[in-house]
mmCIF file of all heavy atoms in Angstrom:
data_model
loop_
_atom_site.group_PDB
_atom_site.id
_atom_site.type_symbol
_atom_site.label_atom_id
_atom_site.label_comp_id
_atom_site.label_asym_id
_atom_site.label_seq_id
_atom_site.Cartn_x
_atom_site.Cartn_y
_atom_site.Cartn_z
ATOM 1 N N ALA B 19 130.416 204.270 143.478
ATOM 2 C CA ALA B 19 131.085 204.769 142.289
ATOM 3 C C ALA B 19 130.177 205.532 141.367
ATOM 4 O O ALA B 19 130.434 206.586 140.847
ATOM 5 C CB ALA B 19 131.786 203.643 141.530
ATOM 6 N N GLN B 20 128.949 204.999 141.203
ATOM 7 C CA GLN B 20 127.939 205.638 140.406
ATOM 8 C C GLN B 20 127.526 207.009 141.017
ATOM 9 O O GLN B 20 127.446 208.004 140.312
ATOM 10 C CB GLN B 20 126.676 204.742 140.345
ATOM 11 C CG GLN B 20 125.507 205.412 139.660
ATOM 12 C CD GLN B 20 124.181 204.705 139.958
ATOM 13 O OE1 GLN B 20 124.121 203.630 140.559
ATOM 14 N NE2 GLN B 20 123.067 205.204 139.560
ATOM 15 N N ALA B 21 127.327 206.996 142.299
ATOM 16 C CA ALA B 21 126.926 208.251 143.009
ATOM 17 C C ALA B 21 128.031 209.299 142.873
ATOM 18 O O ALA B 21 127.727 210.452 142.534
ATOM 19 C CB ALA B 21 126.674 207.973 144.440
ATOM 20 N N GLU B 22 129.250 208.940 143.013
ATOM 21 C CA GLU B 22 130.348 209.887 142.857
ATOM 22 C C GLU B 22 130.329 210.513 141.468
ATOM 23 O O GLU B 22 130.391 211.733 141.339
ATOM 24 C CB GLU B 22 131.713 209.254 143.151
ATOM 25 C CG GLU B 22 132.830 210.226 143.063
ATOM 26 C CD GLU B 22 134.158 209.595 143.453
ATOM 27 O OE1 GLU B 22 134.322 208.393 143.318
ATOM 28 O OE2 GLU B 22 135.017 210.359 143.945
ATOM 29 N N LYS B 23 130.233 209.727 140.486
ATOM 30 C CA LYS B 23 130.251 210.206 139.116
ATOM 31 C C LYS B 23 129.093 211.158 138.834
ATOM 32 O O LYS B 23 129.252 212.265 138.287
ATOM 33 C CB LYS B 23 130.209 209.013 138.138
ATOM 34 C CG LYS B 23 130.263 209.346 136.733
ATOM 35 C CD LYS B 23 130.300 208.141 135.820
ATOM 36 C CE LYS B 23 130.293 208.480 134.408
ATOM 37 N NZ LYS B 23 130.201 207.256 133.536
ATOM 38 N N GLU B 24 127.864 210.713 139.199
ATOM 39 C CA GLU B 24 126.712 211.585 138.901
ATOM 40 C C GLU B 24 126.659 212.815 139.724
ATOM 41 O O GLU B 24 126.285 213.864 139.246
ATOM 42 C CB GLU B 24 125.377 210.736 139.187
ATOM 43 C CG GLU B 24 125.155 209.637 138.167
ATOM 44 C CD GLU B 24 123.856 208.972 138.377
ATOM 45 O OE1 GLU B 24 122.863 209.638 138.519
ATOM 46 O OE2 GLU B 24 123.845 207.718 138.393
ATOM 47 N N LEU B 25 127.102 212.757 140.995
ATOM 48 C CA LEU B 25 127.028 213.968 141.813
ATOM 49 C C LEU B 25 128.079 214.942 141.362
ATOM 50 O O LEU B 25 127.898 216.193 141.352
ATOM 51 C CB LEU B 25 127.244 213.601 143.269
ATOM 52 C CG LEU B 25 126.025 212.882 143.934
ATOM 53 C CD1 LEU B 25 126.458 212.371 145.316
ATOM 54 C CD2 LEU B 25 124.807 213.751 143.973
ATOM 55 N N GLU B 26 129.220 214.478 140.964
ATOM 56 C CA GLU B 26 130.290 215.411 140.350
ATOM 57 C C GLU B 26 129.753 216.085 139.083
ATOM 58 O O GLU B 26 130.061 217.222 138.858
ATOM 59 C CB GLU B 26 131.610 214.687 140.144
ATOM 60 C CG GLU B 26 132.297 214.340 141.429
ATOM 61 C CD GLU B 26 133.639 213.627 141.278
ATOM 62 O OE1 GLU B 26 133.951 213.201 140.148
ATOM 63 O OE2 GLU B 26 134.285 213.443 142.318
ATOM 64 N N SER B 27 128.998 215.387 138.318
ATOM 65 C CA SER B 27 128.425 216.015 137.072
ATOM 66 C C SER B 27 127.372 217.047 137.476
ATOM 67 O O SER B 27 127.067 217.928 136.649
ATOM 68 C CB SER B 27 127.805 214.901 136.186
ATOM 69 O OG SER B 27 126.577 214.476 136.676
ATOM 70 N N MET B 28 126.882 216.928 138.688
ATOM 71 C CA MET B 28 125.900 218.007 139.188
ATOM 72 C C MET B 28 126.679 219.132 139.841
ATOM 73 O O MET B 28 126.055 220.031 140.434
ATOM 74 C CB MET B 28 124.936 217.312 140.151
ATOM 75 C CG MET B 28 123.967 216.336 139.595
ATOM 76 S SD MET B 28 123.119 215.350 140.818
ATOM 77 C CE MET B 28 122.191 216.587 141.791
ATOM 78 N N GLY B 29 128.014 219.045 139.893
ATOM 79 C CA GLY B 29 128.774 220.153 140.561
ATOM 80 C C GLY B 29 128.902 219.920 141.995
ATOM 81 O O GLY B 29 129.286 220.870 142.742
ATOM 82 N N LEU B 30 128.697 218.725 142.508
ATOM 83 C CA LEU B 30 128.812 218.479 143.964
ATOM 84 C C LEU B 30 130.004 217.521 144.202
ATOM 85 O O LEU B 30 130.295 216.599 143.485
ATOM 86 C CB LEU B 30 127.577 217.711 144.517
ATOM 87 C CG LEU B 30 126.303 218.562 144.405
ATOM 88 C CD1 LEU B 30 125.056 217.711 144.652
ATOM 89 C CD2 LEU B 30 126.335 219.671 145.539
ATOM 90 N N GLY B 31 130.735 217.857 145.329
ATOM 91 C CA GLY B 31 131.761 216.930 145.770
ATOM 92 C C GLY B 31 131.129 215.714 146.423
ATOM 93 O O GLY B 31 129.927 215.825 146.784
ATOM 94 N N PHE B 32 131.866 214.635 146.676
ATOM 95 C CA PHE B 32 131.353 213.436 147.173
ATOM 96 C C PHE B 32 132.362 212.783 148.095
ATOM 97 O O PHE B 32 133.485 212.592 147.695
ATOM 98 C CB PHE B 32 130.998 212.480 146.091
ATOM 99 C CG PHE B 32 130.317 211.184 146.538
ATOM 100 C CD1 PHE B 32 129.047 211.233 147.181
ATOM 101 C CD2 PHE B 32 130.946 209.998 146.421
ATOM 102 C CE1 PHE B 32 128.468 210.031 147.557
ATOM 103 C CE2 PHE B 32 130.397 208.809 146.796
ATOM 104 C CZ PHE B 32 129.080 208.851 147.417
ATOM 105 N N GLU B 33 131.927 212.559 149.334
ATOM 106 C CA GLU B 33 132.820 211.876 150.315
ATOM 107 C C GLU B 33 132.026 210.762 150.920
ATOM 108 O O GLU B 33 130.784 210.779 150.941
ATOM 109 C CB GLU B 33 133.321 212.892 151.415
ATOM 110 C CG GLU B 33 134.220 213.883 150.780
ATOM 111 C CD GLU B 33 134.828 214.892 151.826
ATOM 112 O OE1 GLU B 33 134.835 214.499 153.045
ATOM 113 O OE2 GLU B 33 135.269 215.965 151.399
ATOM 114 N N ILE B 34 132.712 209.793 151.447
ATOM 115 C CA ILE B 34 132.165 208.614 151.963
ATOM 116 C C ILE B 34 132.616 208.384 153.409
ATOM 117 O O ILE B 34 133.811 208.524 153.663
ATOM 118 C CB ILE B 34 132.542 207.393 151.149
ATOM 119 C CG1 ILE B 34 132.112 207.620 149.677
ATOM 120 C CG2 ILE B 34 131.937 206.167 151.675
ATOM 121 C CD1 ILE B 34 132.771 206.661 148.692
ATOM 122 N N CYS B 35 131.732 208.019 154.263
ATOM 123 C CA CYS B 35 131.970 207.640 155.672
ATOM 124 C C CYS B 35 131.531 206.209 155.797
ATOM 125 O O CYS B 35 130.293 205.946 155.932
ATOM 126 C CB CYS B 35 131.338 208.623 156.640
ATOM 127 S SG CYS B 35 131.628 208.182 158.358
ATOM 128 N N LEU B 36 132.446 205.284 155.763
ATOM 129 C CA LEU B 36 132.064 203.853 155.845
ATOM 130 C C LEU B 36 132.153 203.423 157.295
ATOM 131 O O LEU B 36 133.112 203.692 158.021
ATOM 132 C CB LEU B 36 133.022 203.044 155.027
ATOM 133 C CG LEU B 36 133.035 203.345 153.523
ATOM 134 C CD1 LEU B 36 134.079 202.475 152.791
ATOM 135 C CD2 LEU B 36 131.580 203.048 152.938
ATOM 136 N N LEU B 37 131.103 202.701 157.681
ATOM 137 C CA LEU B 37 130.929 202.291 159.081
ATOM 138 C C LEU B 37 130.991 200.791 159.201
ATOM 139 O O LEU B 37 130.456 200.074 158.312
ATOM 140 C CB LEU B 37 129.620 202.837 159.648
ATOM 141 C CG LEU B 37 129.361 204.304 159.509
ATOM 142 C CD1 LEU B 37 127.954 204.646 160.012
ATOM 143 C CD2 LEU B 37 130.419 205.117 160.202
ATOM 144 N N ASP B 38 131.463 200.285 160.334
ATOM 145 C CA ASP B 38 131.330 198.909 160.605
ATOM 146 C C ASP B 38 130.199 198.734 161.630
ATOM 147 O O ASP B 38 129.456 199.677 161.825
ATOM 148 C CB ASP B 38 132.650 198.260 161.129
ATOM 149 C CG ASP B 38 133.125 198.931 162.403
ATOM 150 O OD1 ASP B 38 132.359 199.649 163.090
ATOM 151 O OD2 ASP B 38 134.394 198.758 162.713
ATOM 152 N N ARG B 39 130.024 197.571 162.220
ATOM 153 C CA ARG B 39 128.936 197.382 163.128
ATOM 154 C C ARG B 39 129.396 197.523 164.577
ATOM 155 O O ARG B 39 128.675 197.190 165.551
ATOM 156 C CB ARG B 39 128.419 195.987 162.915
ATOM 157 C CG ARG B 39 127.744 195.759 161.548
ATOM 158 C CD ARG B 39 127.388 194.333 161.318
ATOM 159 N NE ARG B 39 126.879 194.086 159.998
ATOM 160 C CZ ARG B 39 125.593 194.147 159.681
ATOM 161 N NH1 ARG B 39 124.650 194.399 160.601
ATOM 162 N NH2 ARG B 39 125.212 193.930 158.409
ATOM 163 N N SER B 40 130.544 198.118 164.796
ATOM 164 C CA SER B 40 131.068 198.275 166.213
ATOM 165 C C SER B 40 130.541 199.516 166.850
ATOM 166 O O SER B 40 129.901 200.389 166.265
ATOM 167 C CB SER B 40 132.590 198.337 166.154
ATOM 168 O OG SER B 40 133.048 199.566 165.707
ATOM 169 N N GLU B 41 130.861 199.631 168.158
ATOM 170 C CA GLU B 41 130.503 200.833 168.936
ATOM 171 C C GLU B 41 131.282 202.011 168.374
ATOM 172 O O GLU B 41 130.776 203.184 168.606
ATOM 173 C CB GLU B 41 130.880 200.588 170.428
ATOM 174 C CG GLU B 41 129.946 199.594 171.058
ATOM 175 C CD GLU B 41 128.511 200.017 171.196
ATOM 176 O OE1 GLU B 41 128.288 201.264 171.469
ATOM 177 O OE2 GLU B 41 127.614 199.172 170.916
ATOM 178 N N ALA B 42 132.366 201.858 167.735
ATOM 179 C CA ALA B 42 133.132 202.958 167.198
ATOM 180 C C ALA B 42 132.539 203.647 165.969
ATOM 181 O O ALA B 42 133.000 204.674 165.502
ATOM 182 C CB ALA B 42 134.553 202.539 166.896
ATOM 183 N N ALA B 43 131.534 203.025 165.394
ATOM 184 C CA ALA B 43 130.916 203.569 164.120
ATOM 185 C C ALA B 43 130.416 204.944 164.303
ATOM 186 O O ALA B 43 130.610 205.840 163.485
ATOM 187 C CB ALA B 43 129.826 202.604 163.709
ATOM 188 N N ALA B 44 129.681 205.205 165.394
ATOM 189 C CA ALA B 44 129.181 206.565 165.660
ATOM 190 C C ALA B 44 130.326 207.583 165.780
ATOM 191 O O ALA B 44 130.218 208.770 165.297
ATOM 192 C CB ALA B 44 128.306 206.637 166.876
ATOM 193 N N ASP B 45 131.415 207.182 166.406
ATOM 194 C CA ASP B 45 132.556 208.055 166.541
ATOM 195 C C ASP B 45 133.151 208.427 165.219
ATOM 196 O O ASP B 45 133.618 209.522 164.983
ATOM 197 C CB ASP B 45 133.588 207.463 167.437
ATOM 198 C CG ASP B 45 133.145 207.285 168.907
ATOM 199 O OD1 ASP B 45 132.330 208.100 169.307
ATOM 200 O OD2 ASP B 45 133.638 206.368 169.589
ATOM 201 N N ALA B 46 133.191 207.436 164.332
ATOM 202 C CA ALA B 46 133.741 207.741 162.905
ATOM 203 C C ALA B 46 132.888 208.741 162.210
ATOM 204 O O ALA B 46 133.349 209.703 161.550
ATOM 205 C CB ALA B 46 133.800 206.416 162.113
ATOM 206 N N PHE B 47 131.607 208.636 162.339
ATOM 207 C CA PHE B 47 130.698 209.651 161.751
ATOM 208 C C PHE B 47 130.882 211.003 162.450
ATOM 209 O O PHE B 47 130.889 212.054 161.733
ATOM 210 C CB PHE B 47 129.223 209.260 161.865
ATOM 211 C CG PHE B 47 128.261 210.164 161.333
ATOM 212 C CD1 PHE B 47 128.186 210.488 160.016
ATOM 213 C CD2 PHE B 47 127.337 210.775 162.193
ATOM 214 C CE1 PHE B 47 127.290 211.402 159.481
ATOM 215 C CE2 PHE B 47 126.430 211.717 161.658
ATOM 216 C CZ PHE B 47 126.376 212.001 160.319
#
């Protein structure tokens, strides 16, 4: 939440790719 707020104030968009510990994590990225 902090990163999103600060990066938006810098004029940057912010997206998140959350991973679990499974083999599918690399596929999500």
Side-chain angles (χ1 to χ4, degrees):
Q20 171 197 357
E22 180 174 30
K23 182 178 176 182
E24 289 186 48
L25 291 171
E26 285 180 354
S27 76
M28 293 168 58
L30 294 166
F32 183 67
E33 294 183 19
I34 302 165
C35 179
L36 297 176
L37 306 176
D38 59 19
R39 296 171 184 269
S40 76
E41 290 294 319
D45 293 332
F47 177 67

